[in-house]
Amino acid sequence: MTKIFILDTNVPLHDYLAIRHFMDNDLVIPIAVIEELDKFKKGNDTLAFNARGFMREVNKITDGRRLKNGSYSIGKHLGHLWIEPNHPFPDTLKDLFKDDTQDHRILATAIWVKDSFPGRFVALVTKDINLRLKAKAAGMEVQDYLTDKVEEEKVESSEKELQVIEDISADALQKLSYGQDNCIRWQEVSSEKPHPNQLYKFSWDGITVCGRYDAARDVIALVRAHEACGIKPRNDEQKFAIDACMNPSIQLVSLTGGAGTGKTLIALASALEQERDYDQIILTRPTVILGNQDIGFLPGDQKSKMSPYIQPLMDNLEVIKRNFRPGSKQALRIESMLKDEKLIISPLAYIRGRSLGKVFFIIDEAQNLTPHEIKTIITRAGEGTKMVFTGDIFQIDQPYLDQWSNGLTHLGEKMAGQPLFQHVFLRKGERSPLSEIASKLL
């Protein structure tokens, strides 16, 4: 027998096509959810876009013929949809939840649906942990929205994708390090063909050499320690990261790791090093609002309003500029790029609808983006554009995202094995000894 799922408001706000992702199971949308979505529909941000998109989907479905049981057919091989008015808590639970809130109305309606269909599996679907706990306390089956949630094993494997090989022969290591082409056949180190851009660390007698599987040449090529705009790699992972950011054949890069590992600095330095190859360098990050202080309430123009959010990016730019003498050709070039808007820092909300051609695009703090937002950004890429996403999947500020459902994790899982994509997980903090020890112990 098919199941019945009741959707909380945050599910369509996370994925406006969620209504079509429950196979042949039936769905219930409480009126309280419709009321809440109505408050989100105005604006240009992602929540407003998803609220409007979801209501269009519901309207499209309910424009069809209503069935005898009051439901609507969602589509071929899909279930049915009910829009259910609010129902009170049963007498046994009236004293458990005293406040009249939208969450409690949704939960009360979910309990009513469960009691109305005793022979079927009924569950409330919500990304709100507090509501999940309340539902469990009331004896209600409750689930997270799992459609775009990456399996925990895949998240862990993405952090361990770097292969360390210690039994490589001295001849192979010599050929990789000093040979004419600086490459070796992958058959010399692996019985299975690696996926594109597989990373390797080869160790022999205290010597470590880095390599990357080049699918176009079908060999494992040497990864050298490149310098980017005065920034030199301090560890092997940073060496991989700079190599990925400066490789023209890799158009999409994902850099993850804890605070102080150098993700943003490496991406920005690599962009500046290659500035002649691109028409523009764009830096952006999600404007995660704390409380109700929307960006619209801040004084000044767009630049003034964005200042609190872009300051971390400006700090990294200052680190790069300190590598050069004040007034030097390199320092003046960076100032000129800012003045001429070849290097710009833009709000992420203004990206929708644009076509970004021949742009080096850096998206910082990408762990605060949903999978749909990541897709929206990448589909803006025009000819000759390179995109670098940076972030720490364990430092998420969005209330309904976690390390398994955020856009950055989703990107790494879906794009793995694509020749134009490379993911690097940076392990060691290089900001300062104090930052490193705090990251480990606190």
Side-chain angles (χ1 to χ4, degrees):
M1 187 175 291
T2 57
K3 303 174 183 178
I4 301 176
F5 295 102
I6 301 95
L7 301 188
D8 188 15
T9 312
N10 47 63
V11 174
L13 288 177
H14 179 77
D15 179 6
Y16 76 95
L17 292 175
I19 201 169
R20 301 189 180 277
H21 292 161
F22 286 85
M23 297 185 290
D24 59 346
N25 298 302
D26 295 335
L27 299 179
V28 175
I29 302 176
I31 284 292
V33 170
I34 304 295
E35 292 176 343
E36 284 197 301
L37 288 173
D38 190 54
K39 299 175 183 178
F40 285 96
K41 68 182 182 182
K42 295 180 181 179
N44 297 318
D45 61 2
T46 301
L47 293 181
F49 174 83
N50 286 344
R52 293 192 297 267
F54 181 76
M55 294 313 301
R56 281 194 293 268
E57 290 294 317
V58 173
N59 183 62
K60 190 187 305 180
I61 292 168
T62 54
D63 271 350
R65 185 169 62 86
R66 191 167 185 170
L67 304 179
K68 290 182 179 180
N69 61 357
S71 68
Y72 299 89
S73 174
I74 299 176
K76 189 176 181 180
H77 303 307
L78 298 175
H80 299 92
L81 172 69
W82 280 270
I83 298 179
E84 194 63 38
N86 295 328
H87 293 277
F89 282 108
D91 293 338
T92 55
L93 296 175
K94 281 184 177 179
D95 294 333
L96 186 60
F97 304 104
K98 297 184 180 297
D99 295 334
D100 183 19
T101 65
Q102 295 288 43
D103 277 359
H104 292 167
R105 293 176 184 178
I106 294 168
L107 178 55
T109 301
I111 293 173
W112 180 88
V113 173
K114 184 188 74 168
D115 294 341
S116 301
F117 296 90
R120 297 178 66 181
F121 176 89
V122 179
L124 172 64
V125 181
T126 177
K127 299 188 72 63
D128 186 339
I129 295 177
N130 287 343
L131 184 55
R132 289 210 293 268
L133 293 175
K134 290 179 181 180
K136 291 174 183 177
M140 181 74 202
E141 185 73 29
V142 62
Q143 296 181 1
D144 192 0
Y145 180 61
L146 303 175
T147 296
D148 55 9
K149 206 176 182 80
V150 178
E151 296 175 11
E152 188 169 357
E153 295 78 10
K154 292 184 178 179
V155 175
E156 292 177 353
S157 65
S158 71
E159 297 175 3
K160 300 174 182 176
E161 64 178 10
L162 173 62
Q163 291 191 19
V164 180
I165 298 179
E166 298 182 348
D167 57 352
I168 187 172
S169 68
D171 290 341
L173 197 64
Q174 179 80 7
K175 192 194 309 181
L176 180 63
S177 302
Y178 305 108
Q180 183 176 357
D181 298 324
N182 292 115
C183 63
I184 56 175
R185 296 169 59 250
W186 60 265
Q187 292 88 346
E188 297 183 52
V189 297
S190 176
S191 58
E192 295 183 0
K193 187 174 183 177
H195 64 71
N197 300 317
Q198 170 68 57
L199 303 178
Y200 293 94
K201 285 173 69 172
F202 302 107
S203 298
W204 183 83
D205 196 24
I207 301 172
T208 300
V209 177
C210 297
R212 175 183 63 85
Y213 174 64
D214 187 339
R217 299 162 57 197
D218 197 29
V219 296
I220 297 176
L222 176 69
V223 174
R224 303 180 186 275
H226 299 290
E227 179 178 329
C229 210
I231 301 299
K232 299 178 182 179
R234 296 186 178 182
N235 55 57
D236 291 332
E237 284 74 23
Q238 288 191 354
K239 188 187 300 183
F240 287 125
I242 294 178
D243 179 72
C245 290
M246 297 185 66
N247 188 336
S249 65
I250 299 175
Q251 298 171 268
L252 182 62
V253 179
S254 168
L255 303 181
T256 62
T261 51
K263 306 179 294 294
T264 309
L265 181 64
I266 285 172
L268 180 55
S270 301
L272 293 173
E273 182 70 21
Q274 304 170 87
E275 55 95 6
R276 288 181 175 81
D277 299 330
Y278 298 93
D279 293 338
Q280 205 171 41
I281 298 171
I282 301 178
L283 292 81
T284 189
R285 63 188 332 219
T287 52
V288 180
I289 311 298
L290 299 180
N292 294 318
Q293 298 301 310
D294 194 292
I295 189 172
F297 291 103
L298 296 175
D301 57 13
Q302 172 193 325
K303 186 175 181 181
S304 301
K305 290 181 179 185
M306 283 299 297
S307 181
Y309 306 103
I310 67 175
Q311 193 56 50
L313 300 175
M314 297 303 295
D315 291 343
N316 281 284
L317 191 60
E318 288 298 321
V319 171
I320 294 172
K321 287 170 65 177
R322 283 199 292 269
N323 286 319
F324 310 111
R325 292 182 295 102
S328 65
K329 181 179 178 181
Q330 295 91 337
L332 291 175
R333 178 59 183 159
I334 294 175
E335 293 290 345
S336 174
M337 290 174 65
L338 285 168
K339 183 179 179 180
D340 299 338
E341 294 192 343
K342 181 164 186 179
L343 171 61
I344 65 172
I345 301 174
S346 172
L348 193 55
Y350 296 171
I351 299 302
R352 187 184 300 278
R354 291 189 61 185
S355 180
L356 305 172
K358 212 171 181 184
V359 168
F360 196 111
F361 195 29
I362 301 171
I363 303 91
D364 196 26
E365 301 292 345
Q367 77 277 3
N368 288 317
L369 297 171
T370 66
H372 179 74
E373 288 171 322
I374 292 280
K375 179 181 178 180
T376 301
I377 293 168
I378 296 177
T379 53
R380 299 300 96 207
E383 193 70 29
T385 287
K386 180 161 189 162
M387 291 191 168
V388 180
F389 290 82
T390 70
D392 180 3
I393 63 172
F394 298 104
Q395 287 191 353
I396 296 175
D397 301 310
Q398 294 285 19
Y400 301 127
L401 295 179
D402 54 32
Q403 60 263 42
W404 303 286
S405 63
N406 70 87
L408 191 57
T409 297
H410 197 73
L411 172 67
E413 193 267 337
K414 293 295 183 183
M415 286 291 184
Q418 295 296 322
L420 52 70
F421 172 75
Q422 184 169 338
H423 170 252
V424 182
F425 175 62
L426 293 99
R427 291 168 172 78
K428 186 178 179 183
E430 298 288 357
R431 182 171 289 163
S432 69
L434 174 59
S435 173
E436 172 73 2
I437 195 170
S439 179
K440 288 182 178 180
L441 300 181
L442 297 182

